[in-house]
Amino acid sequence: IGFGPLYPLLLLYTDNNISFDVPDVNPACTSHFPVQLWTWPKPNNMISFSTPDEVKAAADAPGAIILDVRTKEELEEEQLTLRKFHHACCHLDDCSELMAKAEELMPDKNAPVIVFCGSGRRAAKAKEMLEQKGYTKVTNAGGLKDLTYL
């Protein structure tokens, strides 16, 4: 059994067209270990988080709503204390509580909604569900421990 040469590969997920300069590389290195750079559309199942600057800007906007989608048990253990927030539970396989409370908690579908959970996975699911329901400015802020800057 033979194996071909191993090529270090940098795979860059992107939503946009990008361009950048590749620095000069010692030809002796590339003759043995050429590096390939590929760009690829971001997979649909990849979680997308907003940057802290994006989250802060959304949270400071007029009418912004901060939404905790963790379970009631998680909420009892630890809460966001720096800002007022609303709560509606959303699981990866069931966002029915969030969908039932959405219009009551967030009547303005054009207001910024900052969603967080324990790690960002359920917040990503909640973001997807809210966008399907017509909310236009939903931000995945990640997990509660990521929000120390708020």
Side-chain angles (χ1 to χ4, degrees):
I1 297 175
F3 293 96
L6 299 177
Y7 295 100
L9 174 66
L10 174 60
L11 184 59
L12 176 66
Y13 291 111
T14 179
D15 289 327
N16 307 324
N17 292 326
I18 60 169
S19 64
F20 50 88
D21 295 325
V22 177
D24 292 333
V25 179
N26 181 341
C29 294
T30 58
S31 65
H32 295 2
F33 299 104
V35 175
Q36 296 181 5
L37 174 66
W38 293 355
T39 60
W40 204 268
K42 185 169 49 175
N44 290 337
N45 62 351
M46 231 175 139
I47 297 173
S48 177
F49 297 94
S50 298
T51 66
D53 288 340
E54 292 169 331
V55 174
K56 282 191 278 188
D60 291 339
I65 296 167
I66 299 176
L67 181 65
D68 185 343
V69 295
R70 296 175 303 146
T71 64
K72 289 179 182 171
E73 293 79 20
E74 290 173 296
L75 194 61
E76 290 170 2
E77 289 176 19
E78 188 175 14
Q79 292 185 15
L80 180 66
T81 56
L82 301 174
R83 298 214 186 202
K84 180 183 173 195
F85 66 92
H86 296 283
H87 176 258
C89 188
C90 180
H91 297 280
L92 293 175
D93 61 347
D94 177 20
C95 285
S96 57
E97 180 181 329
L98 172 61
M99 293 295 92
K101 291 182 172 182
E103 291 182 16
E104 174 190 333
L105 296 175
M106 303 161 292
D108 181 358
K109 292 187 177 186
N110 294 312
V113 179
I114 298 91
V115 186
F116 72 94
C117 62
S119 67
R121 290 179 61 217
R122 288 172 288 172
K125 179 66 175 180
K127 178 182 187 293
E128 176 187 333
M129 299 302 290
L130 290 170
E131 287 173 341
Q132 287 177 9
K133 200 167 177 80
Y135 290 86
T136 60
K137 298 177 183 173
V138 186
T139 302
N140 180 356
L144 176 62
K145 295 193 184 334
D146 299 324
L147 300 179
T148 56
Y149 55 84
L150 277 184

